[in-house]
Structures are given as C-alpha cells and as structure tokens.
Amino acid sequence: MSKQSQYKRLMFQAKLLLSSLVLSAAIVPHASAHLMVAQHGTLNFKGDGVFMVLSLPVSAFDAIDDDGDGKMSAGEFIKHRAALVTAINEKVRLTDKEGSRPLQGLMLSPVASHEEPQAPNEQLVIMGRFALASIDSATSDELTLHVGLFGKTADERSLEMTATRKLGADSAPEKYKFVLTPEQPETSLFTKKP
C-alpha cells in the first residue's frame, strides 16, 4: 500500500472516529461530558499524525460570552464558532524540526452538564489531528507543544496532558505526562525530566 493510500485510510479512520464521537454527543447529550475531563488533554501519535483531544474552559476565549455569565450557550457557540477556530489555530501549536505543523479536521464540542444538558457550557472539547512533516518526526525528540488558552479561575489555570507514542511495532507505548500553565504554556515532548 502506498504512503498516500495509507494516509487517506488513516484520515478516513480519524474522521470516522471523530464523527462517531460528535454524533454520539449529539444523540446522547450526556455523552459529551465524557469525551475528556475538564482541564485535561491527550496527544496520541499514529504514523505521521498526532491526534489531539483537549478540554478547555470557555473563559479561555475572548469575546464569546455575550451575556457575561461565564458560560457558552448554544447561540453563543454558533455565533462565535469562527472566532473559536481562529483562536485555537493561533494558540494551540505543535512543532517538529520542520516547524509548526498544521492542525487538520478541527472539531469542537461544548460539554453538556449531567444535571442540565440544555444549560450553557463551561468547557469546550477540541479534537483534531496535527500532520507531522514525516513519520520520522513522531519519534523525534524535537517536538514541542504550545497551548496559550487558559481560563480565568485558579482551577482553569493549568492543563494536564498525556502524550503517547510507540517507537516500534514491538515496543510498549511511551507515555509522557506534563502540565501546562500560563507561566509555562509550552513543553518539549518526551524529554527526560531531571
């Protein structure tokens, strides 16, 4: 199978997975609350792509809370969706030795409350795929993640992340856990901590 065929197949699988998650959230309102724990995120390396899921507070985004309640209603989400996408593309970056990598297939899902599924949301789940320069980039030690979106409250000022990759077909997955804050919004991935 050619690299292009593999890429197309991988992209189709990623879109199918993301579509399934979004569809299940739309069909079962409570499902979206389980996509990702608030203030957490994951990066999963597969081939020449990095699949990302982040749960970020609504207060991390400027000028989307029209009524000032600290939450995002369905109307506010629809009205400001383009501004959300712009902010994410500007402030969430993965770089490898070739530079900043494009974020593809960006999907947004407001997180519904268990108690009040129709109530305005405090969290937004972000899903997408970073396209690496090559499959070799996934095993590089020159990978950096930057997230510049943090909320207003103390609980919303940190983001706990886990990055997972396999270096070889027979190797166990390598996990790298880290925390990003407004003071330290960037980290080199898979570096050894002192």
Side-chain angles (χ1 to χ4, degrees), residues 27-151:
I27 293 171
V28 184
H30 300 297
S32 64
H34 299 289
L35 290 176
M36 180 58 62
V37 176
Q39 303 312 119
H40 284 73
T42 60
L43 296 172
N44 291 303
F45 288 70
K46 182 73 174 169
D48 64 351
V50 180
F51 296 88
M52 175 188 71
V53 180
L54 297 176
S55 182
L56 299 175
V58 168
S59 68
F61 299 91
D62 296 328
I64 64 164
D65 182 15
D66 296 334
D67 60 10
D69 67 352
K71 300 177 183 180
M72 182 173 52
S73 67
E76 290 168 333
F77 176 70
I78 292 166
K79 179 179 176 184
H80 299 293
R81 189 175 193 293
L84 292 167
V85 169
T86 298
I88 292 162
N89 283 322
E90 288 175 357
K91 297 184 179 186
V92 179
R93 295 184 306 276
L94 181 73
T95 57
D96 63 15
K97 60 185 174 184
E98 302 295 321
S100 188
R101 306 315 311 153
L103 181 58
Q104 303 170 332
L106 183 60
M107 299 179 80
L108 310 176
S109 179
V111 179
S113 163
H114 286 291
E115 295 80 28
E116 298 178 65
Q118 302 305 317
N121 305 286
E122 295 179 0
Q123 291 282 314
L124 180 67
V125 171
I126 299 159
M127 297 171 278
R129 176 187 182 272
F130 290 104
L132 296 173
S134 70
I135 197 163
D136 295 330
S137 294
T139 60
S140 169
D141 59 357
E142 297 179 41
L143 294 160
T144 302
L145 178 70
H146 176 93
V147 178
L149 293 167
F150 296 94

